[in-house]
Amino acid sequence: MRDQTVEQVIYWRFNVLHRVVHLVVMFAFIGVGLTGFSMAFSSVGLAQTFVWLLGGIDSVRYFHRFCAVILYLCVVTEILWGLYYRFVLRGNLLGPNSICFRIRDLRFFREHMGYLLGQSEGPPRFERFTWWEKLDYWTLFLGMHSMALTGVFLWFPEFFSRFFPGYFVNIAQVLHFDEAILAVLYKFFIHTAVRHLRPEVYPGDWVIFTGKVTKETMMRAHPGEWALLNAHQQGSATRDQ
Amino acid sequence: MARLRLFLRRLNTAERTRLLRSSRGLIIAAWLILPIHVQAAWSGDPTPSSSWFVDMNRFLKSAHGSLTCERCHVEMTARDKVHPNREDPTAMKKVVVRSYDYKRCASCHPEAYKRFLQGEHAKELAKEKQAPPPEGKEPPPEKLAPTCGDCHSSHYAQSKRSRVELGTQMIETCGKCHKAQEASYLKDIHGRMGVFLEKKASAYCTDCHGAHTCESLKDKNKALEACRRCHKDATIQFAGILIHAGQQDISKKDPEKQAHAAIIGTIKGFAQTGTIILLLFFALQTFIWILRELHRRLRGR
């Protein structure tokens, strides 16, 4: 967990699996978004140029599905990691270090809104994962499932119309498009702004690529986790004595 | 030219300016008019597809370009009158696509003509002939039943066009009368792929509705037959997928499809509202967040 360097103490926030998964998700998401929107807004000249660049509509459709499968595989990887974390590492999925939502996050959210509106001087004492990090994670995690569901409806309409009425394919198309708009605008603008444009992290928070945080960042951004970590260490220190 | 130069050389400066000034209007007018002629020469559609006047340059390049005029306009006399009848003041004002006898097309295109007679458009045409609209109160051409000439340009239609070119042209031709269907088709996956992204395997109007029969496909079994031409494993429920998904496209006699379109519309409304609300909330929250941290930083805390 801790790695002593000459200048400062480094804390490992993300292991190599999560960093690679984030990188793959990032590129696959951009790919799936570009190809998807070039098909959805195909009457726009820019979309037609992009499709031409990729070698025609058939390869765009192939690329869209390829990226989508990669994205879903990343979700599967995360599920497997969750099982590994729970049953092999004996981690607590409902504990303070978990990415899962807790009741406490509601309080954090309310306090954070209060801070934004000037009711308190500073942000609440966040634990390992803040509410917006959990939201980013779970919206993608759950969103990939609903996108995959509507996506396979559009991929294999002949198969699914055996079990469902035909207009379900139309509904799938509507939901697939709307959720794509939501996801792409959220990730491309809001997620990027929160991770790059906020004065706290400007010009960029590289922790998801490097996995490391300094002691200062830890104390500033995750005081709850910092306190917990120190309490544990002191606890173990006293026990050792 | 030499005389003009001599004439100009003899003029003194004052005379020369006066000449320039007086001809300035002409020069400006020429510059304004010139582009119109250039445009007309470039755009290649100066005459409408069916009129009394034929652009021979375009006709010779068309599919019928090798035919003589008499091949289609058989006799130049009708009912002992020379064609066109100069005595009749309305002769040149008649709408050609209504007055031409399109049975003559059948001599070269018998299959197409036979299918046309079986189809919906011919039925409408027969109805219209039985009860023609009153004189002077004729509806606009897109409300009348189509003859061959309404869809096909007999003088300028080109041969050997690619499938995508034909399909794209088809959207315009059918869309002249079926505007709502054109719009909903272009929103559908077949239209988006076929027209804008040039996917040859996509379905254009006539691939489902038939080139000359022009069926409505309200009957699900007929629709399924059309689906199965490409989607081999399609079942009867597959034919329930709405291609023209707008509610105004669907006949009021089809309550089931109307209900489906209404459900789709409701879900679309909810999804769009939810998307907009969520995005607005997070955009505003992020904006305030950035301002708050900026404020805190500027205060030095």
Side-chain angles (χ1 to χ4, degrees):
Chain A
M1 199 72 187
R2 255 176 74 170
D3 182 14
Q4 198 79 33
T5 57
V6 184
E7 299 97 14
Q8 55 196 351
V9 186
I10 294 294
Y11 291 88
W12 287 100
R13 189 156 162 72
F14 296 110
N15 67 23
V16 68
L17 177 82
H18 293 130
R19 280 180 274 154
V20 169
V21 163
H22 179 268
L23 210 61
V24 173
V25 162
M26 194 170 100
F27 283 110
F29 193 83
I30 291 171
V32 95
L34 277 177
T35 50
F37 280 173
S38 64
M39 287 191 281
F41 298 103
S42 58
S43 58
V44 182
L46 196 67
Q48 288 163 11
T49 312
F50 183 73
V51 169
W52 175 79
L53 274 176
L54 282 191
I57 174 62
D58 288 321
S59 52
V60 168
R61 293 174 86 171
Y62 178 81
F63 194 64
H64 186 79
R65 285 156 188 181
F66 180 79
C67 287
V69 168
I70 296 276
L71 267 180
Y72 196 74
L73 286 181
C74 289
V75 170
V76 171
T77 313
E78 284 295 302
I79 296 174
L80 292 179
W81 163 259
L83 293 175
Y84 177 76
Y85 179 76
R86 174 69 187 81
F87 292 109
V88 180
L89 296 184
R90 299 273 163 202
N92 185 1
L93 280 181
L94 300 173
N97 285 344
S98 163
I99 191 81
C100 296
F101 275 109
R102 308 166 77 200
I103 306 288
R104 197 177 287 186
D105 285 310
L106 279 176
R107 186 169 58 80
F108 279 133
F109 177 73
R110 205 180 56 236
E111 283 176 9
H112 192 238
M113 289 298 125
Y115 159 63
L116 295 191
L117 297 173
Q119 284 175 358
S120 59
E121 275 305 305
R125 295 173 62 77
F126 287 120
E127 291 173 341
R128 184 172 176 81
F129 293 112
T130 57
W131 67 265
W132 68 86
E133 284 166 334
K134 291 182 181 183
L135 196 73
D136 278 356
Y137 182 87
W138 286 108
T139 45
L140 195 94
F141 190 93
L142 297 175
M144 276 338 292
H145 283 90
S146 58
M147 284 305 263
L149 186 70
T150 52
V152 290
F153 254 86
L154 300 174
W155 194 346
F156 308 106
E158 292 100 336
F159 176 75
F160 282 95
S161 65
R162 279 181 199 184
F163 313 109
F164 299 97
Y167 70 99
F168 270 48
V169 175
N170 292 77
I171 294 174
Q173 198 166 16
V174 165
L175 294 179
H176 199 77
F177 175 72
D178 269 329
E179 202 184 331
I181 294 271
L182 178 64
V184 165
L185 289 185
Y186 183 83
K187 291 290 173 204
F188 280 19
F189 291 103
I190 291 160
H191 177 69
T192 319
V194 168
R195 297 314 165 120
H196 289 280
L197 295 186
R198 275 191 303 130
E200 286 270 308
V201 292
Y202 184 85
D205 187 356
W206 303 108
V207 60
I208 194 68
F209 302 111
T210 62
K212 301 172 197 165
V213 281
T214 58
K215 189 177 157 189
E216 285 73 34
T217 318
M218 196 76 169
M219 287 166 74
R220 194 190 66 242
H222 307 282
E225 188 194 0
W226 171 251
L228 209 65
L229 207 65
N230 281 345
H232 271 302
Q233 276 165 1
Q234 276 168 12
S236 60
T238 43
R239 210 172 39 243
D240 285 345
Q241 288 169 355
Chain B
M1 208 63 206
R3 212 180 259 181
L4 185 73
R5 215 174 286 155
L6 203 70
F7 167 73
L8 285 174
R9 206 173 287 166
R10 269 193 211 151
L11 297 171
N12 61 30
T13 328
E15 276 171 333
R16 212 175 281 173
T17 26
R18 207 184 309 147
L19 185 73
L20 254 178
R21 230 175 249 169
S22 58
S23 56
R24 195 163 47 188
L26 258 176
I27 294 169
I28 291 173
W31 273 112
L32 285 176
I33 289 167
L34 193 70
I36 296 173
H37 287 278
V38 172
Q39 256 181 8
W42 280 344
S43 69
D45 195 11
T47 42
S49 57
S50 278
S51 98
W52 290 105
F53 305 102
V54 176
D55 182 343
M56 285 309 282
N57 285 331
R58 289 177 66 213
F59 172 67
L60 289 174
K61 278 182 220 153
S62 79
H64 288 164
S66 59
L67 303 180
T68 59
C69 302
E70 290 84 359
R71 189 72 195 272
C72 303
H73 303 279
V74 214
E75 51 204 16
M76 299 309 268
T77 53
R79 294 188 208 93
D80 304 331
K81 282 174 192 158
V82 182
H83 165 87
N85 183 8
R86 286 180 203 164
E87 305 297 317
D88 184 3
T90 62
M92 299 292 272
K93 287 181 182 166
K94 273 183 186 161
V95 185
V96 193
V97 288
R98 302 266 137 224
S99 56
Y100 184 81
D101 183 9
Y102 282 105
K103 273 178 203 133
R104 289 173 196 161
C105 299
S107 68
C108 298
H109 306 285
E111 192 63 28
Y113 195 72
K114 204 175 86 193
R115 283 189 191 151
F116 172 73
L117 288 183
Q118 290 165 352
E120 298 289 326
H121 283 162
K123 280 179 202 163
E124 282 298 311
L125 199 64
K127 262 190 231 167
E128 208 174 88
K129 276 203 178 142
Q130 274 184 355
E135 287 275 331
K137 278 190 180 175
E138 276 143 1
E142 67 265 20
K143 295 274 177 188
L144 288 168
T147 61
C148 303
D150 275 310
C151 305
H152 302 281
S153 166
S154 47
H155 292 139
Y156 309 130
Q158 292 186 340
S159 57
K160 290 175 187 160
R161 314 195 79 184
S162 75
R163 192 175 141 72
V164 174
E165 275 176 325
L166 274 176
T168 313
Q169 202 187 19
M170 209 180 279
I171 309 308
E172 280 172 28
T173 307
C174 303
K176 263 192 283 178
C177 303
H178 305 281
K179 284 203 174 68
Q181 279 76 8
E182 181 196 1
S184 55
Y185 170 75
L186 288 179
K187 276 184 199 160
D188 185 69
I189 187 86
H190 296 98
R192 279 189 276 127
M193 303 287 117
V195 177
F196 299 124
L197 302 178
E198 304 185 345
K199 184 174 169 62
K200 273 184 243 160
S202 183
Y204 300 104
C205 308
T206 58
D207 292 325
C208 304
H209 295 281
H212 288 99
T213 45
C214 304
E215 293 164 313
S216 74
L217 302 181
K218 274 180 201 118
D219 180 15
K220 267 198 174 177
N221 288 313
K222 267 193 174 174
L224 180 62
E225 217 175 276
C227 296
R228 277 206 174 141
R229 276 178 221 143
C230 302
H231 303 275
K232 295 272 186 286
D233 307 331
T235 52
I236 189 74
Q237 296 207 90
F238 185 83
I241 298 175
L242 304 183
I243 304 297
H244 301 284
Q247 253 175 309
Q248 71 274 21
D249 303 341
I250 298 163
S251 145
K252 293 211 168 62
K253 289 171 204 157
D254 198 343
E256 194 193 348
K257 266 196 178 176
Q258 280 281 349
H260 292 170
I263 293 172
I264 294 166
T266 315
I267 289 179
K268 198 177 197 168
F270 274 115
Q272 280 175 353
T273 320
T275 302
I276 290 170
I277 289 174
L278 277 175
L279 283 175
L280 277 181
F281 171 76
F282 282 111
L284 191 70
Q285 190 248 352
T286 311
F287 182 65
I288 295 174
W289 195 350
I290 290 170
L291 286 187
R292 182 73 175 99
E293 286 188 359
L294 212 58
H295 176 256
R296 195 163 171 236
R297 179 149 296 198
L298 291 175
R299 286 277 183 91
R301 271 176 287 186

